Amino acid sequence: MRLPALPSTPLRLAVASLAVALAMVAACGPAADNGNEVATTDPSELLPDGLFDALERIDGMDVPENPAEPPATPAPEPDDNAAEDGQTLVPAQADTEDGQSPSETSQEELLRLRDEAFVDFSRCIREEGFTDFPDIDSSQVVDQASFLQAMQDAGVSFTQAGLGQALQACASVFSELIALAPQQDGNVQQVEQEENALAFARCMRDQGLDDFPDPDFNQFPNTGFNTGGNNAANLDDETQAALEVCLPTFGGGEPNRTTATPGEASGADTPATASATPATAASTQAPEATTTQAPSPDPATTAAILRDTEELNTAEVVRRDLIDTEEFSGTLGFGDPEPLYTNSSGIVTGRLPEEGDILDVGDTLFEVSGHPVILLRGDRPMYRDFHRDMEDGPDVEQLEQALVDMDIPGWDGMTVDHNFTPVTEDVVEEWQNRLGVEETGEVRMGQIVFIEEPIRISAVNVTVGQSVSAQQAAFTVTGQYQEITSDIDPGDADIVNRLDPVEVELPDGRLTPGVVSEVARVATRLPNAQTGAPGDPTIEVVIVLLDDEASSRFDAAPVNWTITKEVTRNALVVPASALIATVDGGFSVEVVHDGSTTLVPVEVGTFVDAFVQITGGDLDVGDQVRIP
């Protein structure tokens, strides 16, 4: 039978591997045992003899002008060996139910029967338990390769367990089609098959496989090669590349136009590509002694089988920076609210702040019993009255430094130390004068609240007229700046460091920059909100925003933040969806060029989003790769 030249696809490689796997083993030695090998079913071995020859002959018939009076079909020469070699594919005197002989059946009728047979075939497979088996487009099927191509295009996976048995059980639906197809001389067919097999072996040797054997027609009379076995996973790269070139010759076609010179498939440093013209291919692969020339591919059939590269979805190979990032969730707010104890006792008489107010040194927090409670800078809380006769202590130094910072008149004559001197008393009186209160030179408990930095009022817990005690938290406060708190997995802690820049997505979708300000050194287990039981360990990360205004209207809002893990500069990149997994655990891409496609083995690096870095393989910027 005739096999038109096929495009370079994973299916072709699978078909070739199945057809010549044991021939490779015979030529190169026994294949290693591969425990991960995928068992593959070759449907052509399970279908009735003569199906593909019948389909090809039906497709090549000339439609008579008057189907009722078709031209006579010459009867085949008797063949005494037909029963032995299995090459008589059509019963000599098969009749239809209405008594019409096969030679009187028109092409239209045969085509109709072909379509019905394929519909019955798909229905039978589904009844065998493969409920998702699709209908096969029979118009594209004229031989073994196009049958496999049509099933693959329809989404059939040849690795499904039990598919081989189902194909064998349903093969009988094609028996009538085989019987009605125009007959062909079995001897002529045998000669063509032997010539094609010899040309295939010669082509494989031309590709650098010097030990590739000629077919042994005494052992395997159909093709000369053993087509059994499942050793495709053990073929080396050089053999697979040669199969890409030579497979069409196995069916009577020409080698692929884009061919690899010997050594390229085996990883030679300098790849070379040669385009073989039809004349050159024919001259280098023609049998040495033949009496019958193998027919050239039918253009109409070839057009139906070849991949239409203009319709393919492709992408260009480019160079670009690959930025690998990691995204985390967090809560945007002003930090955890904390109670503020004022140590004030009395009645709240006014000047209460509002929630959200920012207060700093010198501001009045509120008024108790007619006296303002003032905020001053310091990290030590007030725990006693300040006056001339008090004992020395660090709290005195803290008060004196606060008076200096506020530039109170007389501060330049005051020594900032642990001693409350008459000069200190005078400066306190000047400060009281500025506040508009009685100038006593003394500061009583509760009249000052020391803070380390500006505070933001998160909640006001008292009202005017209410009695307040020294131990009551009159306010709840936070820091003045918004921050993001995030609890991350300890396994991710190594990619987050203090002062790392991040990008924050706000609740309204806007992006704003931030920086990591704190990374906890110890993992903690936060209690489960519902059960109270300790949760998984986490590391707390605090992030501050660099643009205060961008997020000012949000509080306690969920956000996402992204940190850069790795940047690969000027990487050779293809879409990750272009990768094709190979049987040896590697990857290939299908390169589209001059109306055909070629599988190119590649090595991959960084995966980022939908793209992958190509670190090895015969790819260049500007190449077009197929996106399945």
Side-chain angles (χ1 to χ4, degrees):
M1 67 181 176
R2 296 179 287 112
L3 178 63
L6 296 175
S8 300
T9 64
L11 176 61
R12 288 186 49 242
L13 183 57
V15 174
S17 300
L18 290 169
V20 298
L22 290 189
M24 302 299 103
V25 175
C28 306
D33 183 21
N34 188 345
N36 297 324
E37 186 178 330
V38 178
T40 307
T41 299
D42 183 354
S44 64
E45 297 180 354
L46 302 173
L47 296 177
D49 289 340
L51 171 61
F52 301 120
D53 303 274
L55 293 174
E56 185 178 16
R57 291 195 296 278
I58 291 172
D59 188 71
M61 284 180 61
D62 293 328
V63 181
E65 295 181 1
N66 184 4
E69 299 179 1
T73 303
E77 294 294 333
D79 187 355
D80 295 336
N81 298 323
E84 297 179 3
D85 61 14
Q87 296 305 307
T88 300
L89 305 179
V90 183
Q93 299 296 328
D95 292 332
T96 59
E97 295 180 359
D98 59 2
Q100 188 180 28
S101 66
S103 61
E104 296 174 348
T105 305
S106 67
Q107 187 192 40
E108 287 90 340
E109 179 66 12
L110 287 173
L111 291 176
R112 183 186 66 79
L113 291 174
R114 178 185 69 177
D115 295 341
E116 291 180 354
F118 273 89
V119 170
D120 293 341
F121 172 72
S122 296
R123 183 183 299 115
C124 177
I125 297 295
R126 289 193 286 269
E127 291 174 354
E128 289 292 321
F130 294 86
T131 56
D132 296 331
F133 193 88
D135 289 330
I136 304 300
D137 183 5
S138 63
S139 65
Q140 303 297 315
V141 180
V142 296
D143 54 24
Q144 171 179 325
S146 58
F147 177 71
L148 296 179
Q149 180 74 61
M151 285 209 290
Q152 187 199 42
D153 291 345
V156 176
S157 172
F158 299 126
T159 61
Q160 298 178 83
L163 178 61
Q165 291 85 338
L167 293 172
Q168 190 171 24
C170 298
S172 60
V173 302
F174 295 110
S175 58
E176 181 181 7
L177 188 64
I178 297 174
L180 293 176
Q183 298 180 2
Q184 179 177 347
D185 192 325
N187 291 331
V188 173
Q189 181 191 33
Q190 177 70 13
V191 171
E192 291 180 0
Q193 289 182 344
E194 293 182 3
E195 291 173 353
N196 294 342
L198 286 169
F200 172 75
R202 187 176 298 107
C203 177
M204 294 292 283
R205 290 193 291 271
D206 290 342
Q207 297 304 312
L209 302 179
D210 297 335
D211 295 332
F212 193 92
D214 283 332
D216 184 355
F217 298 107
N218 293 324
Q219 183 177 3
F220 303 109
N222 288 331
T223 63
F225 297 112
N226 187 346
T227 58
N230 292 309
N231 296 309
N234 295 316
L235 297 181
D236 56 34
D237 293 341
E238 183 178 11
T239 300
Q240 293 186 19
L243 290 173
E244 286 291 312
V245 177
C246 299
L247 181 62
T249 65
F250 196 72
E254 299 172 355
N256 281 330
R257 287 179 294 172
T258 302
T259 62
T261 60
E264 180 179 359
S266 59
D269 292 337
T270 306
T273 303
S275 297
T277 63
T280 303
S283 63
T284 58
Q285 300 181 34
E288 294 179 0
T290 61
T291 57
T292 304
Q293 197 77 345
S296 61
D298 184 348
T301 302
T302 302
I305 297 175
L306 282 174
R307 188 191 299 280
D308 185 359
T309 56
E310 293 183 359
E311 299 297 327
L312 294 181
N313 183 24
T314 63
E316 184 177 356
V317 181
V318 298
R319 284 198 176 274
R320 53 171 287 187
D321 292 345
L322 286 182
I323 303 176
D324 190 11
T325 61
E326 188 78 19
E327 185 177 80
F328 300 95
S329 60
T331 301
L332 172 65
F334 290 88
D336 295 332
E338 297 179 356
L340 179 65
Y341 297 98
T342 64
N343 290 319
S344 302
S345 298
I347 304 298
V348 177
T349 53
R351 304 178 71 173
L352 284 172
E354 296 181 353
E355 292 182 6
D357 285 351
I358 306 295
L359 302 179
D360 201 356
V361 172
D363 291 336
T364 298
L365 180 60
F366 69 141
E367 184 181 280
V368 177
S369 299
H371 197 284
V373 178
I374 309 300
L375 299 176
L376 294 182
R377 181 77 72 234
D379 58 5
R380 180 183 294 272
M382 184 178 183
Y383 61 91
R384 58 178 177 169
D385 296 341
F386 290 103
H387 53 85
R388 179 187 298 184
D389 298 328
M390 69 183 300
E391 295 182 359
D392 295 346
D395 55 336
V396 176
E397 181 179 11
Q398 182 174 272
L399 172 64
E400 292 177 336
Q401 184 62 54
L403 296 172
V404 171
D405 293 341
M406 290 186 292
D407 197 22
I408 304 300
W411 66 266
D412 51 349
M414 179 178 62
T415 301
V416 178
D417 56 15
H418 290 194
N419 185 16
F420 194 102
T421 66
V423 177
T424 304
E425 185 180 42
D426 292 341
V427 176
V428 169
E429 291 179 357
E430 289 291 338
W431 176 51
Q432 291 172 333
N433 178 55
R434 177 180 293 184
L435 292 175
V437 298
E438 183 180 1
E439 302 174 16
T440 63
E442 298 180 1
V443 181
R444 296 183 180 276
M445 277 288 296
Q447 293 180 346
I448 292 177
V449 176
F450 287 104
I451 59 175
E452 297 184 51
E453 59 184 10
I455 59 173
R456 174 181 176 272
I457 302 299
S458 176
V460 178
N461 303 323
V462 295
T463 60
V464 174
Q466 178 181 345
S467 176
V468 61
S469 65
Q471 301 303 317
Q472 183 176 355
F475 306 95
T476 303
V477 299
T478 65
Q480 64 172 326
Y481 298 113
Q482 282 188 314
E483 62 185 26
I484 296 170
T485 56
S486 182
D487 297 311
I488 68 174
D489 189 280
D492 294 323
D494 59 340
I495 65 173
V496 181
N497 298 285
R498 187 172 180 272
L499 302 183
D500 280 346
V502 300
E503 186 175 63
V504 179
E505 182 180 5
L506 298 174
D508 59 3
R510 290 180 299 152
L511 300 178
T512 188
V515 64
V516 177
S517 64
E518 296 179 31
V519 179
R521 295 178 177 271
V522 180
T524 58
R525 293 179 179 269
L526 299 178
N528 186 288
Q530 297 179 345
T531 65
D536 295 331
T538 58
I539 295 290
E540 185 180 65
V541 176
V542 178
I543 297 169
V544 296
L545 300 179
L546 301 183
D547 183 0
D548 299 336
E549 299 298 325
S551 58
S552 57
R553 63 190 183 91
F554 299 111
D555 189 8
V559 296
N560 294 323
W561 57 277
T562 302
I563 190 169
T564 299
K565 295 167 54 179
E566 180 182 2
V567 178
T568 304
R569 300 291 184 189
N570 198 34
L572 191 66
V573 171
V574 300
S577 57
L579 293 180
I580 300 172
T582 59
V583 293
D584 60 357
F587 294 99
S588 294
V589 295
E590 194 172 356
V591 178
V592 181
H593 180 67
D594 290 341
S596 64
T597 61
T598 304
L599 276 181
V600 176
V602 296
E603 297 176 5
V604 299
T606 303
F607 283 80
V608 175
D609 297 330
F611 297 94
V612 60
Q613 176 191 14
I614 302 299
T615 60
D618 190 12
L619 280 188
D620 292 316
V621 173
D623 286 347
Q624 295 291 323
V625 295
R626 177 183 174 235
I627 307 298

